[in-house]
Amino acid sequence: MSRPIIHIILGEPLRFHVQSKPGSPQYLVDLEDYGFNGACGCQHFEFRLQPELTRGAEPSDRLRCKHILAARAFFTYHF
């Protein structure tokens, strides 16, 4: 399994474009959304995870897609 590709958005330290692998779509990840749970533009997040957060679920790794988890790891390591 290849590692996700993280693209920094200059001037926005909590936002990234994340690709699962080369040639796959890029998704915008905002680590600040939902009380620092993070939000992503991928279908898995938008259709499965975001509805729970919208209803008030507490932030947790089970409510983070692989793109959010990759961006959080990158941010923690590099900033």
Side-chain angles (χ1 to χ4, degrees):
M1 182 176 187
S2 63
R3 292 169 44 190
I5 301 162
I6 312 292
H7 303 275
I8 297 170
I9 299 174
L10 295 177
E12 299 190 47
L14 296 174
R15 298 179 84 202
F16 303 88
H17 286 114
V18 180
Q19 286 179 281
S20 297
K21 59 186 177 186
S24 67
Q26 286 187 30
Y27 298 106
L28 177 63
V29 172
D30 189 329
L31 296 179
E32 192 173 11
D33 283 353
Y34 296 104
F36 291 94
N37 181 85
C40 180
C42 74
Q43 290 182 349
H44 176 66
F45 181 81
E46 289 182 345
F47 292 107
R48 292 190 179 99
L49 307 176
Q50 187 176 28
E52 288 189 53
L53 291 163
T54 301
R55 288 190 296 268
E58 291 292 319
S60 73
D61 278 350
R62 76 171 191 82
L63 296 174
R64 296 178 179 123
C65 66
K66 63 185 176 183
H67 308 105
I68 294 172
L69 292 171
R72 285 173 60 89
F74 180 87
F75 179 83
T76 300
Y77 184 75
H78 292 284
F79 293 94

